[in-house]
Each structure stands twice: as C-alpha cells, then as structure tokens.
Amino acid sequence: MIEDSILAAARALGPASRVMAFTGAGVSAESGVATFRGAGGLWEGQPVEEVATPEAFRKDPLHVWRFYEARRTQARTVRPNPAHETLASWQDRFPGWTLATQNVDGLHQAAGSRNVLELHGGLWRVRCCACGRHREDRTVPLPELPPRCAACGGIERPDIVWFGEMLPRDVLEAASLAARDCQVLLVVGTSAVVYPAAGLVEIAASAGATVIEVNPQASALAHLADVVLRGPAGELLPRVAATLAAS
Ligand code: BJW
Ligand code: ZN
C-alpha cells in the first residue's frame, strides 16, 4: 500500500537532520521535460553519442548547439512542479540538507532551492573551449551559433558534462561527502544507470543511510532502497511532506 510507504518515509525523515536528495530527469517529467531513457525520450531519433559527447562537438559544434538551443527554448517555458517545490521547502526543515541533481534544466533553483549541486552542469552556462572562461547566458535564441568568447574569440560550448568527461571535481566531492554523511537519502526520478552520479546511492547505502526511492518504475539501484514510493514524484513527495508536517 502506498500509504504505508508514505508513512515509512515520513517516519525515516521525522527524526533526521542530515538529509540528502539525489534527483534525475524524472523529477522534471511532470513539468513537461522529457526524460532521457523513457518513451518519447529526449534522444529519440538522435543517438546520445551524436550530441552529448566532446567528439561530436569537435566534429560539428553547430549541430550540437542546435540541439541545445532546442533544450534551452523548452527549458525557458517550463515551470517547477510540486516535487521541486517540496524539495525546496525541505532545505529549511532539515539543518543538514543537500540537494544534488543530474539535471541541467535549472528547475530546482527556479523552485527556490539554494546551493544545488549540479553534477552534470547547467543549460544556462557556457564555457570557452580555448581559454576555459565560464559565463552565464540565458539568451534564447543565442544571436550567433556557435557563440564566441568575448575574451579570446574561441568557440564556446554548453557547460554540460558529456559522456566520457569528468564531473566538476568540487561538486562531486561535496555530493560524495554528503552521501557518506546523510541519515536519509531520497533518490528521486533517476534510472541510476549513469556513473559516477549513481554511485552516490551506493555510498549512502553502504554508510548506513535509509534510502527512499521515489519513481514510478524501479531504478537500477532499487534493491538498495529501504522504502520505495512507486509513483510520480510530484504527487508523492507532497504527500510525504504533509504526513511529516502532521506528525
Ligand atoms: C519519474 C517520473 C516522475 C519518470 N516522478 N520519477 C560504458 C561505456 C561508456 C561509458 C561508460 C560505460 N560505463 C560507465 C561509463 C561512464 C559513463 C556512464 O555512466 N555511462 C552509462 C550510461 C553506462 N559516465 C560518464 O561518461 C560520466 N563521466 C565519467 O565517467 O568520467 C570519467 C571518465 C573520464 C574519461 C574517460 C572515461 C571515464 C559523465 C556522465 C555524463 C552524463 N551526461 C548526461 C547528458 C547530459 C547532457 C544533457 O543533458 O544534454 O546526463 S547523460 C543523461 O543521463 C543526463 C542525465 O543527467 C543522466 C542520468 O539520467 P536520469 O536523470 O537518470 O534520467 P533517465 O531518463 O535515465 O531516468 C528517468 C527516471 O525518471 C526513470 O527511472 C523514470 O522511471 C523516472 N520517472 N517520470 C519520478 N513523474
Ligand atoms: Zn575564451
């Protein structure tokens, strides 16, 4: 029964102070953002290897930028949903709160989450391939594709972590520390197949945290979950919050 799982989640969260949420594309699904590996997935008709690799960008930066322009255009029109909002509200409920996301859409921040650990970068930042300069750019559409660095004239790329690239070291370190230290880990809307991010679940579970999975389908690491909430995060997280607030 889902009510039992909601109660179990609220009971685990109730006395906890160090709580971490680890989110993936599913948390934004109810905002209208397609997931990566689901039906109607973002990569449909466009293999991941063609767009989300440094090799693809070197070969054809314009092609890759067109893909990201479409992502940026969509991301600008979508709004956070109750799952983002519930997670944002918990940063003030738990003194040791950490939110680490694989998403690049910025919806956690739009819901009011602060200090979000963006494991795979962000759609609204660009980085110069030549001099490494980072900058925020929310212009849609960009006036010139590919955009050029104002400092050195080099080609700029989306500041996103592609396959085969390292995650930002400081972000991954902070997330790994939080995973090792948390009492409860919420794993929300991720298939948990992409590493090293998915490894955060293994770190928390082996350090003894209570793992709560929120997902309509079992993730690859569902066997590590102590509590399983099978259903949409935008519906179930507010129910956990309501039970928690009433207890
Ligand atoms: C709901 C819901 C609702 C639906 N409510 N839930 C073998 C071959 C090649 C590479 C590797 C390999 N083995 C390991 C690797 C490394 C590779 C990797 O893990 N690959 C695997 C796929 C096998 N990892 C990397 O390359 C990483 N870097 C690295 O390892 O560096 C070290 C290194 C350096 C040099 C050489 C070698 C290694 C980098 C990974 C970067 C990932 N980048 C992407 C693309 C970003 C680009 C972009 O956004 O444009 O990040 S891939 C894509 O997957 C994206 C996501 O962040 C990531 C995770 O996906 P996520 O979020 O879990 O989404 P889905 O779609 O998979 O799942 C959605 C879930 O939501 C589902 O479970 C639904 O059921 C659920 N859901 N509705 C709640 N309403
Ligand atoms: Zn530059």
Side-chain angles (χ1 to χ4, degrees):
M1 290 278 281
I2 192 71
E3 286 77 15
D4 296 335
S5 303
I6 289 171
L7 198 58
R11 283 208 177 116
L13 287 165
S17 55
R18 299 185 308 281
V19 178
M20 177 171 184
F22 169 55
T23 69
V27 81
S28 297
E30 289 155 85
S31 294
V33 181
T35 60
F36 291 93
R37 294 171 183 84
L42 200 60
W43 309 111
E44 215 170 55
Q46 206 167 18
V48 182
E49 313 79 58
E50 274 181 28
V51 280
T53 70
E55 293 77 29
F57 190 76
R58 271 196 293 274
K59 207 170 106 199
D60 192 349
L62 192 58
H63 173 71
V64 176
W65 260 115
R66 283 206 194 97
F67 173 77
Y68 281 100
E69 277 287 87
R71 301 272 305 280
R72 287 160 63 99
T73 303
Q74 190 209 28
R76 215 169 57 150
T77 63
V78 295
R79 295 282 166 267
N81 68 59
H84 299 104
E85 284 157 9
T86 301
L87 294 173
S89 75
W90 282 345
Q91 71 195 343
D92 301 318
R93 166 80 169 68
F94 301 104
W97 172 258
T98 304
L99 172 53
T101 188
Q102 299 166 90
N103 299 345
V104 299
D105 58 27
L107 286 178
H108 283 303
Q109 294 88 334
S113 280
R114 302 179 295 269
N115 305 319
V116 179
L117 298 173
E118 290 186 305
L119 294 158
H120 292 162
L123 263 183
W124 305 114
R125 293 195 307 270
V126 298
R127 175 172 104 221
C128 175
C129 296
C131 74
R133 192 180 76 130
H134 289 70
R135 66 184 180 89
E136 188 175 306
D137 194 326
R138 292 179 175 264
T139 322
V140 178
L142 284 161
E144 181 195 11
L145 283 186
R148 294 270 174 182
C149 174
C152 80
I155 290 182
E156 288 175 316
R157 56 165 279 179
D159 194 14
I160 283 179
V161 182
W162 288 325
F163 282 119
E165 294 186 315
M166 298 302 282
L167 278 61
R169 185 189 294 270
D170 51 339
V171 176
L172 183 61
E173 261 173 29
S176 304
L177 277 177
R180 200 162 296 134
D181 194 42
C182 68
Q183 295 156 305
V184 179
L185 175 71
L186 293 147
V187 182
V188 187
T190 177
S191 57
V193 295
V194 174
Y195 281 81
L200 295 171
V201 184
E202 294 164 332
I203 291 173
S206 60
T210 299
V211 175
I212 302 173
E213 175 167 295
V214 188
N215 196 316
Q217 289 172 16
S219 79
L221 298 178
H223 58 281
L224 297 178
D226 302 284
V227 180
V228 168
L229 295 170
R230 280 278 161 266
E235 193 185 302
L236 295 180
L237 284 178
R239 288 176 67 185
V240 174
T243 307
L244 191 60
S247 61

XYZ file of all heavy atoms in Angstrom, residues 127-133 148-156, ligand 2:
108
model
N 30.921 27.800 -21.733
C 32.342 27.776 -21.363
C 33.167 27.819 -22.640
O 32.830 27.149 -23.621
C 32.562 26.465 -20.612
C 33.936 26.161 -20.243
C 33.954 24.932 -19.342
N 34.404 23.758 -20.065
C 33.875 22.551 -19.950
N 32.838 22.348 -19.184
N 34.393 21.546 -20.609
N 34.226 28.615 -22.611
C 35.076 28.750 -23.802
C 35.988 27.527 -23.936
O 36.673 27.144 -22.990
C 35.914 30.028 -23.703
S 37.092 30.191 -25.052
N 35.975 26.937 -25.124
C 36.815 25.754 -25.367
C 38.302 26.126 -25.394
O 39.163 25.283 -25.149
C 36.477 25.111 -26.715
S 34.815 24.472 -26.788
N 38.598 27.403 -25.701
C 40.004 27.800 -25.834
C 40.595 28.263 -24.499
O 41.641 27.770 -24.081
C 40.135 28.905 -26.878
N 39.918 29.200 -23.815
C 40.528 29.763 -22.605
C 39.839 29.292 -21.326
O 40.295 29.595 -20.224
C 40.561 31.294 -22.657
S 38.948 32.069 -22.405
N 38.721 28.563 -21.455
C 38.076 27.986 -20.267
C 37.177 28.941 -19.507
O 36.606 28.562 -18.480
N 37.024 30.181 -20.011
C 36.194 31.156 -19.296
C 34.732 30.678 -19.235
O 34.168 30.251 -20.238
C 36.268 32.501 -20.029
C 35.698 33.676 -19.246
C 35.820 34.950 -20.071
N 34.812 34.977 -21.114
C 33.993 36.010 -21.357
N 34.085 37.099 -20.637
N 33.105 35.955 -22.331
N 30.766 32.815 -29.520
C 32.217 33.051 -29.447
C 32.565 33.758 -28.148
O 31.819 34.605 -27.676
C 32.660 33.943 -30.606
C 32.507 33.313 -31.961
C 33.769 32.578 -32.302
N 33.647 31.824 -33.537
C 34.619 31.054 -34.021
N 35.754 30.942 -33.367
N 34.456 30.391 -35.140
N 33.733 33.427 -27.619
C 34.202 34.009 -26.366
C 34.607 35.463 -26.590
O 35.396 35.759 -27.504
C 35.402 33.199 -25.870
S 36.220 33.883 -24.432
N 34.077 36.366 -25.734
C 34.395 37.785 -25.872
C 35.850 38.055 -25.498
O 36.446 39.030 -25.947
C 33.463 38.612 -24.987
N 36.439 37.206 -24.697
C 37.814 37.438 -24.251
C 38.834 36.987 -25.290
O 39.814 37.676 -25.551
C 38.056 36.698 -22.929
N 38.626 35.821 -25.926
C 39.683 35.292 -26.802
C 39.197 34.903 -28.191
O 40.006 34.494 -29.029
C 40.377 34.107 -26.123
S 39.459 32.572 -26.258
N 37.882 34.978 -28.412
C 37.362 34.653 -29.746
C 37.162 33.155 -29.978
O 36.723 32.734 -31.050
N 37.483 32.327 -28.969
C 37.324 30.873 -29.115
C 35.857 30.465 -29.170
O 34.962 31.249 -28.815
N 35.621 29.260 -29.623
C 34.251 28.725 -29.661
C 33.824 28.364 -28.249
O 34.585 27.766 -27.494
C 34.185 27.486 -30.590
C 34.348 27.909 -32.045
C 32.879 26.729 -30.402
C 34.256 26.768 -33.034
N 32.582 28.746 -27.914
C 32.049 28.376 -26.603
C 31.174 27.131 -26.740
O 30.568 26.892 -27.789
C 31.229 29.525 -26.020
C 32.111 30.680 -25.570
C 31.295 31.879 -25.095
O 30.304 32.230 -25.780
O 31.652 32.456 -24.054
Zn 37.979 32.264 -24.429
